[in-house]
Amino acid sequence: MKKGALLNSVVSAVIAQLGHTDTVTIGDAGLPIPQGPLRIDLALTHGIPSFMQVLETVSEEMQVEHAVLAEEVKQHNAALHQAMLAQLEKLQQRQGNIIAIEYIPHDAFKQRTRQSQAVIRSGECSPYANVILGAGVTF
């Protein structure tokens, strides 16, 4: 059995297969998931698991180089936006690198998810609770 925090075998396999600049999307319960990326649905009910729980757990395993967020999260979900920024800051400290953050309109965000290797659906039911994480290298 795995020793790390991430026990989901599908999510673990996706992260293990990422190359530099590959992306993974973590989304709320309402984010449309396009054809193409692997769909990993973790949602059980409203709020379970939360977006932040999924982000925290995935980022324990994944080397993150950049993050893409919807511009609208700043205005329409300020508390979650601040929590995401705090998690990315904590991750920067742990990894020892700067994580570039890009903001784009939500419609462009939804289009960009098509390029992800996987989209992980949380049970989050708050607006714009989505992030695209770009893989970095550990060396």
Side-chain angles (χ1 to χ4, degrees):
M1 181 169 206
K2 276 182 58 78
K3 219 167 116 175
L6 181 56
L7 298 177
N8 184 289
S9 62
V10 179
V11 177
S12 186
V14 165
I15 293 170
Q17 294 171 28
L18 292 175
H20 187 215
T21 74
D22 285 345
T23 62
V24 171
T25 299
I26 301 172
D28 59 33
L31 182 69
I33 300 175
Q35 294 294 320
L38 177 64
R39 178 190 185 108
I40 304 172
D41 194 342
L42 302 180
L44 297 174
T45 190
H46 289 271
I48 300 175
S50 73
F51 171 83
M52 287 305 300
Q53 288 172 320
V54 176
L55 175 59
E56 289 165 5
T57 305
V58 167
S59 65
E60 285 286 320
E61 295 279 328
M62 181 180 172
Q63 181 74 19
V64 177
E65 181 174 87
H66 72 275
V68 180
L69 291 80
E71 180 71 37
E72 293 87 345
V73 72
K74 294 178 194 176
Q75 180 180 2
H76 298 290
N77 201 343
L80 183 74
H81 178 237
Q82 290 305 311
M84 277 194 277
L85 292 179
Q87 177 61 27
L88 292 172
E89 175 64 32
K90 182 175 149 184
L91 186 57
Q92 285 181 140
Q93 298 301 317
R94 191 172 67 242
Q95 293 181 164
N97 69 311
I98 301 296
I99 297 173
I101 300 173
E102 177 185 1
Y103 292 92
I104 60 176
H106 188 59
D107 285 338
F109 182 96
K110 291 186 285 188
Q111 293 302 315
R112 180 98 53 106
T113 63
R114 295 176 189 275
Q115 299 167 11
S116 287
Q117 276 58 42
V119 177
I120 303 168
R121 181 176 180 247
S122 71
E124 186 71 39
C125 292
S126 66
Y128 306 104
N130 309 295
V131 66
I132 299 171
L133 300 175
V137 293
T138 57
F139 54 88

